[in-house]
């Protein structure tokens, strides 16, 4: 049920079945929106409620306060034709996001366990030399950050940072900050990471446009962050943390043992390995045991680049080509589901089966990689519920009308809302899904192009990484992994994230003028 806020106030509330309709008209709906956002921040910051539960609770509260009926919110068993706002909101977003995040996560896990990151970093370090090792670490983070999560990238690549910093004898900041900038940029701006994928689903934007605008906005942003890294790294000296070096060496030995264990069922007896028991992880690695060959750099780059190229090709074909069989073929292979599946199958064969992995090992790595995804998908789904409730209740339309009255461009409003939510509660994902639900009506009624909508997503993503501080888990991960004090982490990592955020938003705002 919908109504126009521009028309005279109706005699009856728009949702007569609601339990709690506090005020009628736009002022009441804006009050409900304010209560909802304040309640969300209170539950996450003060009560420490899990973000999924907090978003779900706030969505229900906002729906009831704005006048939605219980039937509109939840549906009923008796009326099978009743549409549940909660179910449609979660199902609508997860139907698009879950497949992409799942495929992308498995692809990143295969690249991680196979040693692709180490090969990439080692080759770049040799190519650029010791003098330009910070640039090599930055490029490693930028390339390897496309298919893997931010925290996984830190875990895998931190030992390489320690080694480069020890050889160079300089502050570890010169080496870790460029790496972190590359990982953070890809995590914020590029699919298949949860943030941009979730925003694309909520705002109904083709993923190809998100990839294109992510590159356009993200590359200048990371260059600005690298410049800041070089400047601050020469002014603050942080030694390589010896305890983390020892822990990293132990972790590398463990990973090496696991990789040999992966190859062993194939090497012993010549079987396929699918019916061979997995070896004990605690068995030490012997020099006599078969070692996997290094991953070819071209294979790593090809696997990472394949889905991006296919998705971009499909996006351009939909704009540049007339409907035809050729265009349909390009769009089929360039659909995110198909493109990521192709990349994953290539990784299975080139990084797994061809190098001696058993089918059982591939299955184990893929299954284990999906375990952390559950929380992300639930938070994204709850964000879809929040957006659906805002739309169904009329709150989103009231916010849209009010924002239009303020006179600020949509892209600026999206950035500011995301920034405030990020600084207040720390979670980039919560900031993205909440902001996307709020600004969606501004796009749906403005008849904006897909390119502009993708730039709005870049603006939201940029705001979601601003000023990482003590309420963000990434802040503590950076501080502990690289041995940086809390004070210096605020001076370096927090500012680095702010530089990425502001630079990315600035590029998006400038480009939006032309699209």
């Amino acid at each position: 049920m919908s109504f126009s806020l521009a028309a005279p106030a109706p005699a009856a509330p728009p949702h007569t079945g609601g339990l709690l309709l506090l005020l009628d008209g736009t002022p009441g709906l804006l009050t409900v929106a304010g209560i909802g956002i304040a309640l969300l921040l209170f539950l996450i910051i003060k009560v420490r409620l899990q973000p999924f539960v907090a978003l779900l609770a706030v969505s229900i509260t906002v729906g009831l306060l704005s006048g939605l009926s219980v039937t509109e919110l939840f549906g009923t068993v008796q009326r099978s034709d009743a549409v549940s706002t909660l179910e449609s909101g979660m199902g609508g977003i997860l139907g698009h996001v879950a497949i992409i995040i799942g495929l992308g996560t498995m692809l990143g896990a295969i690249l991680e366990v196979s040693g692709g990151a180490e090969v990439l970093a080692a080759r770049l370090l040799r190519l650029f030399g010791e003098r330009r090792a910070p640039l090599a670490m930055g490029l490693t983070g930028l390339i390897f950050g496309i298919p893997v999560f931010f925290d996984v990238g830190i875990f895998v690549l931190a030992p390489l940072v320690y080694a480069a910093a020890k050889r160079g004898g300089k502050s570890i900041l010169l080496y870790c900050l460029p790496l972190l900038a590359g990982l953070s940029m890809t995590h914020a701006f590029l699919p298949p990471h949860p943030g941009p994928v979730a925003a694309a689903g909520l705002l109904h934007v083709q993923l190809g446009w998100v990839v294109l605008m992510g590159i356009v906005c993200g590359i200048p942003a990371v260059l600005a962050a690298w410049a800041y890294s070089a400047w601050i790294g020469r002014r603050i000296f942080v030694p390589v943390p010896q305890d983390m070096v020892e822990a990293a060496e132990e972790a590398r030995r463990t990973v090496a043992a696991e990789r040999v264990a992966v190859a062993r069922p194939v090497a012993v007896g010549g079987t396929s390995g699918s019916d061979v028991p997995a070896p004990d992880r605690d068995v030490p690695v012997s020099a006599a045991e078969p070692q996997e060959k290094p991953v070819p750099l071209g294979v790593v780059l090809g696997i990472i680049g394949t889905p991006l190229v296919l998705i971009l090709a499909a996006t351009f074909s939909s704009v540049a080509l007339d409907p035809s069989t050729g265009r349909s073929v390009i769009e089929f292979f360039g659909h995110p589901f198909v493109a990521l599946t192709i990349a994953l199958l290539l990784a299975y064969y080139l990084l797994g089966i061809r190098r001696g992995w058993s089918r059982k090992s591939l299955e184990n790595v893929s299954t284990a990689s999906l375990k952390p995804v559950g929380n992300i998908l639930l938070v994204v789904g709850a964000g879809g519920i929040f957006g659906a409730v805002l739309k169904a209740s009329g709150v989103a339309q009231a916010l849209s009308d009010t924002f239009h009255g303020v006179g600020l461009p949509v892209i600026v409003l999206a950035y500011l809302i995301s920034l405030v939510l990020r600084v207040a509660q720390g979670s980039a994902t919560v900031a993205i899904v909440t902001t996307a639900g709020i600004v969606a009506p501004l796009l749906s009624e403005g008849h904006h192009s897909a390119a502009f909508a993708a730039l709005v997503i870049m603006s939201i993503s940029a705001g979601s990484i601003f000023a990482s501080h003590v309420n963000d888990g990434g802040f503590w991960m950076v501080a502990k992994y690289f041995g940086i004090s809390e004070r210096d982490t605020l001076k370096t990592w927090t500012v680095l994230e702010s530089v990425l955020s502001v630079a990315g938003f600035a590029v998006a705002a400038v480009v939006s003028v032309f699209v």
Side-chain angles (χ1 to χ4, degrees):
M1 185 180 297
S2 62
F3 62 98
S4 173
L5 293 172
H15 301 287
T16 57
L19 295 179
L20 300 168
L21 183 61
L22 294 181
L23 297 171
D24 195 9
T26 299
L29 293 173
L30 292 177
T31 301
V32 170
I35 292 173
I37 295 174
L39 179 61
L40 178 64
L41 295 176
F42 173 78
L43 291 176
I44 293 176
I45 298 172
K46 295 296 183 181
V47 182
R48 308 299 299 176
L49 197 61
Q50 213 281 337
F52 164 67
V53 181
L55 276 166
L56 186 60
V58 169
S59 298
I60 295 172
T61 302
V62 168
L64 295 175
L65 291 178
S66 61
L68 286 179
S69 68
V70 174
T71 299
E72 288 173 304
L73 275 175
F74 303 107
T76 62
V77 176
Q78 291 80 11
R79 292 177 57 193
S80 59
D81 60 336
V83 177
S84 167
T85 302
L86 270 65
E87 292 179 4
S88 61
M90 174 164 273
I93 182 63
L94 290 186
H96 173 77
V97 170
I99 297 175
I100 296 173
I101 293 178
L103 290 170
T105 300
M106 289 187 286
L107 175 61
I110 298 298
L111 286 165
E112 170 203 346
V113 176
S114 67
E118 296 177 15
V119 169
L120 174 63
R123 181 68 63 86
L124 289 174
L125 285 169
R126 288 196 299 270
L127 179 64
F128 286 93
E130 185 175 308
R131 184 179 176 184
R132 296 183 177 85
L135 176 60
M137 297 311 305
L139 289 173
T140 301
L142 187 64
I143 298 172
F144 190 67
I146 294 174
V148 303
F149 289 151
F150 177 81
D151 52 350
V152 174
I154 291 180
F155 170 76
V156 174
L157 298 173
L160 303 171
V161 172
Y162 303 149
K166 286 181 69 177
R167 285 198 303 267
K170 300 176 182 178
S171 173
I172 196 173
L173 295 174
L174 276 172
Y175 305 89
C176 74
L177 290 182
L179 173 74
L180 294 170
L183 291 173
S184 183
M185 188 283 281
T186 53
H187 186 78
F189 291 96
L190 290 177
H193 290 284
V197 172
L202 289 166
L203 299 183
H204 308 292
V205 180
Q206 288 182 349
L207 215 57
W209 284 109
V210 179
V211 172
L212 178 62
M213 294 307 173
I215 295 172
V216 169
C217 299
I219 296 300
V222 82
L223 290 176
W226 285 349
Y228 172 75
S229 301
W231 180 82
I232 197 66
R234 293 186 177 92
R235 285 160 177 79
I236 299 178
F237 181 81
V238 177
V240 179
Q242 190 58 36
D243 57 337
M244 292 303 295
V245 171
E246 295 172 356
E249 291 175 352
E250 178 63 28
R252 287 169 71 88
R253 286 194 293 268
T254 302
V255 172
E258 290 177 350
R259 289 176 186 161
V260 172
V262 166
R264 186 183 298 147
V266 179
V268 178
T271 66
S272 66
S274 59
D275 54 355
V276 178
D280 188 351
R281 287 188 173 186
D282 295 329
V283 175
V285 181
S286 170
E289 290 177 328
Q291 301 287 334
E292 289 183 299
K293 295 180 180 179
V295 180
L297 179 61
V299 171
V300 175
L301 296 178
I303 291 173
I304 293 175
T306 293
L308 298 181
V309 171
L310 290 174
I311 291 171
L312 286 174
T315 300
F316 283 119
S317 71
S318 65
V319 176
L321 301 180
D322 294 328
S324 63
T325 302
R327 171 177 160 176
S328 297
V329 171
I330 295 174
E331 291 181 350
F332 169 78
F333 286 104
H335 191 283
F337 297 172
V338 178
L340 283 169
T341 300
I342 292 173
L344 181 60
L345 293 176
L346 286 174
Y348 279 160
Y349 176 71
L350 296 175
L351 300 181
I353 295 174
R354 188 176 179 182
R355 301 174 65 241
W357 289 30
S358 68
R359 294 190 296 272
K360 183 65 175 177
S361 298
L362 288 172
E363 178 190 358
N364 290 340
V365 171
S366 300
T367 302
S369 70
L370 294 177
K371 291 180 181 178
V373 174
N375 176 57
I376 295 173
L377 293 179
L378 286 175
V379 172
V380 170
I385 291 174
F386 186 61
V389 168
L390 290 178
K391 183 177 181 180
S393 63
V395 172
Q397 184 61 52
L399 289 169
S400 175
D401 293 343
T402 302
F403 288 152
H404 276 305
V406 171
L408 288 176
V410 176
I411 202 164
V412 176
L413 285 169
Y415 178 72
L416 293 177
I417 295 171
S418 180
L419 183 152
V420 170
L421 289 171
R422 156 68 170 192
V423 173
Q425 51 79 42
S427 170
T429 304
V430 172
I432 288 174
V433 297
T434 305
T435 304
I438 293 174
V439 303
L442 300 175
L443 295 177
S444 61
E445 296 202 356
H447 305 293
H448 298 292
S449 66
F452 181 82
L455 287 170
V456 172
I457 292 175
M458 294 303 103
S459 178
I460 295 172
S461 296
S464 74
I465 60 172
F466 184 85
S468 168
H469 61 97
V470 295
N471 64 357
D472 176 23
F475 175 92
W476 297 106
M477 185 178 299
V478 170
K480 300 308 178 185
Y481 259 95
F482 298 108
I484 312 172
S485 68
E486 287 79 3
R487 181 179 180 181
D488 285 343
T489 306
L490 288 169
K491 291 180 180 179
T492 57
W493 163 249
T494 301
V495 178
L496 179 77
E497 285 285 83
S498 300
V499 170
L500 272 173
S501 171
V502 173
F505 164 69
V507 175
V510 171
V511 175
S512 70
V513 175
F514 301 97
V515 299

